Amino acid sequence: MTAGRAAPLGATFDGDGVNFAVFSENASRVTLCLFSKDGETEVARLDLPERDGDVWHGYVSGLRPGTLYGYRAHGPYRPDEGHRFNPNKLLLDPYAKRLTGHPVWHDALMGYRVGERGGDLTFDTRDSAPFMPRCAVEDPTFSWGDDLHPRRPHKDSLIYEAHVKGLTMRHPDVAEPGTFLGLSSDPMLEYLTDLGITAVELLPSQAFLNDRFLVEKGLTNYWGYQTIGFFAPEPRYLDRAQIAEFQQMVARFHSAGIEVLMDVVYNHTGEGSELGPTLSFRGLDNKSYYRLSQDARYYVNDTGTGNTLNVDHPMVLRMIMDSLRYWVEVMHVDGFRFDLCSTLGRVGSGGFDRGASFFDAVRQDPVLTQVKLIAEPWDIGPGGYQLGAFPPPFMEWNDKYRDTLRRFWRGDPGTVPALADRLTGSAVQFDHSGRPATSSVNLLTAHDGFTLEDVVSYNEKHNDANGEQGKDGHGENFSHNLGVEGPTRDKAIQAARVRRKRNMMASLLLSQGTPMILAGDEMGHSQSGNNNAYCQDNEVSWIDWSAADPEFLEFTRTMIAFRKANPILSQKLFLHARERALDGKEDLFWRKADGATMRQSDWEDPSLACLCCELRTASDSPDYGTSEMAVFAVFNTGPEQIITVPEASAGRYWAWHIDTADPDRDVTPIEGATVIVPDDAVAVFVLERQASA
């Protein structure tokens, strides 16, 4: 071993050998462990010979990609001071590009002696290597050919949140189900392009931990929110243990014009609390990697997972930024959804700060400012709910949109004003700091919670299969079973459920903002009322393609096509019922059923159950030039209504395009000044140009 270099961090193959570099501010010695090709035998222990600042490094000539390795870190074991060094524990490289598998649960993975007096203050001398996966040296070079990021404009985006395994595992025509290759197979690409999806948002696909308490109950960490490798693809999704499989997936999605977004978890790691295992960060430098309480033995737990990454530390921030750039530049992904992103905006022991170092680092980065960035705008810490508070260019998951749409279509009184705000991009939250209307990621459902089918089928959650006595998961889902809890053979209830789903899906795709659909919702996927299926790696979560509802799938496809054909529904600028620059005309009108303009007293009427909205082109709509276009939409959760349609201008007429009460309705011109909109329905009309003689 020779001195090597302090940069880049990680294991880097240069054609002749491998340079190893790892950060630890408080270690006294860092040892590189090399393993046999099968990973069974530790063949060498080499102390990294050089330290530049807090980066330990060394170079070993002759090593090739595929070399298996790990680290051991020496230093004080004083948990009460925040130090948990234990050289008996094999540690994963935080920058490892591939892991060979997952830890096998054993008490030797703990830095302390489990079950003994003193708990985590004790010191365990057993070697954890027999139970640990290995890091693998990788050369990430890939023949990308003419691959380019699709770079879809935000206003044209339609996101599809999907699980790599759950979407493909039961597909009859996918040859490699449950893998990155299966997800990008021909049947999947054909399905997604036909549906009209522009971006897939993958649930966590970086290497993650299978929690011990789940394994002992015969369950699995299915969602993946316990990351242990921020540069490594999740091993179980690799069919041939090659990181090129992820790159191939991305290239195939790009060839179909579909972007790949990753759900990433930089707010905590899978090592848990002080009683968790020593797998990587804790053993390399616990005091640097984690935010510790005033009593340094314990962790700040703003994430609810036992620990919180210390983003205030420059080397931890560097790791996150290096990871993000790696996935963009080397793996070609197109953006990220940040789990519990409020945590990344916490400064020191204070609260959320939109000027935190993480946000500043991202906003000045020439690579990351070119991709899509989506925040989950909350955590469980004090003041953690921050919807609308993130700086541009971040978009944000909008749970207020979700709850408002569910409550309106459930028939809750007094929800019309909130519905109006959600339909027009939630301007109250997002129209500031130059943020566009696309900042609001509108969702009806997500992985966390009920599926759309379950929103209309269950009043209560049914999570007994999770082994937590049904205490886990959200208690308030704003759902309604329409008469029977769960599946029913009652044709009337079945029809009412499908109609409500059409109403909700139509509303989503008629709203300003960026729509997101949960994979499976478009075909009626149910989780049998489980609203927290994080541990259900089975038929509960896997989408059953054989049970797909073809009619609702076709309706969803039709609504997506309608949105694309009418870009007035997905404008960048907010609509505010005021004059626009294009032609000095107003762009938004709220009307009552009789055509009268909504007054304040109307908005305050809790019995109001029908809202009429007229949208007209805004100043940033080059799609239309100077030719005015308009859409008139009626959202009726009450009884049948006689609706007065707006007056058509000369040479124009209104045509009825969408009717959720009759999804097979042909496009028909409106004759006369009124139409009858059925009860519990959405109706949409488009201002058409008269055919020239």
Side-chain angles (χ1 to χ4, degrees), residues 337-632:
R337 179 266 189 188
F338 295 89
D339 177 66
L340 300 183
C341 197
S342 292
T343 299
L344 301 177
R346 292 186 180 276
V347 178
S349 59
F352 178 85
D353 183 354
R354 70 197 306 265
S357 57
F358 168 73
F359 298 133
D360 286 348
V362 169
R363 295 176 72 190
Q364 63 77 44
D365 191 283
V367 173
L368 300 182
T369 50
Q370 298 299 310
V371 301
K372 291 182 171 64
L373 305 171
I374 304 171
E376 183 183 40
W378 51 76
D379 65 14
I380 69 166
Y385 187 78
Q386 293 291 332
L387 179 68
F390 288 75
F394 281 87
M395 307 152 72
E396 300 177 37
W397 270 25
N398 190 345
D399 64 321
K400 288 185 180 295
Y401 182 95
R402 175 197 66 200
D403 294 347
T404 297
L405 267 291
R406 291 186 186 188
R407 293 186 62 214
F408 175 80
W409 287 113
R410 190 172 67 171
D412 290 11
T415 54
V416 167
L419 175 70
D421 185 42
R422 305 305 160 213
L423 292 173
T424 50
S426 299
V428 171
Q429 280 74 35
F430 296 105
D431 190 11
H432 61 83
S433 308
R435 302 185 74 182
T438 51
S439 299
S440 175
V441 176
N442 299 331
L443 61 148
L444 301 170
T445 59
H447 67 276
D448 186 4
F450 277 152
T451 67
L452 185 58
E453 181 69 27
D454 290 353
V455 168
V456 301
S457 302
Y458 294 90
N459 287 347
E460 307 293 338
K461 61 184 179 179
H462 297 268
N463 295 356
D464 289 343
N466 296 350
E468 300 181 41
Q469 294 78 51
K471 297 178 181 178
D472 61 304
H474 298 299
E476 181 54 84
N477 298 282
F478 302 112
S479 59
H480 185 219
N481 63 24
L482 288 111
V484 174
E485 188 75 353
T488 179
R489 295 183 179 179
D490 188 308
K491 298 296 184 182
I493 293 177
Q494 289 177 352
R497 287 176 175 177
V498 174
R499 186 151 159 177
R500 183 160 295 178
K501 288 197 304 176
R502 287 197 295 264
N503 290 338
M504 296 177 73
M505 186 64 75
S507 301
L508 174 69
L509 293 165
L510 292 169
S511 298
Q512 304 291 322
T514 304
M516 186 185 85
I517 296 174
L518 173 64
D521 275 357
E522 76 281 6
M523 62 180 84
H525 173 62
S526 171
Q527 293 178 169
S528 300
N530 192 321
N531 76 345
N532 190 34
Y534 75 103
C535 56
Q536 299 299 324
D537 187 7
N538 49 47
E539 286 80 2
V540 170
S541 296
W542 301 344
I543 293 171
D544 184 358
W545 292 81
S546 67
D549 178 347
E551 287 80 16
F552 188 64
L553 175 60
E554 180 58 30
F555 176 80
T556 303
R557 187 183 293 116
T558 297
M559 283 304 311
I560 292 174
F562 182 79
R563 180 181 180 87
K564 292 182 176 182
N566 294 275
I568 191 174
L569 300 171
S570 55
Q571 300 183 82
K572 179 180 178 181
L573 297 186
F574 287 93
L575 305 177
H576 282 304
R578 62 188 180 214
E579 292 183 358
R580 58 186 189 265
L582 183 66
D583 52 15
K585 296 182 180 180
E586 293 183 21
D587 55 16
L588 175 64
F589 305 85
W590 299 110
R591 304 189 189 280
K592 297 191 296 183
D594 62 4
T597 300
M598 290 280 288
R599 298 170 300 181
Q600 187 61 36
S601 58
D602 298 318
W603 290 112
E604 294 172 354
D605 181 0
S607 67
L608 184 64
C610 181
L611 180 66
C612 304
C613 177
E614 182 184 353
L615 307 176
R616 292 185 177 270
T617 52
S619 57
D620 72 330
S621 300
D623 313 83
Y624 302 117
T626 57
S627 176
E628 184 178 46
M629 299 292 289
V631 168
F632 179 61

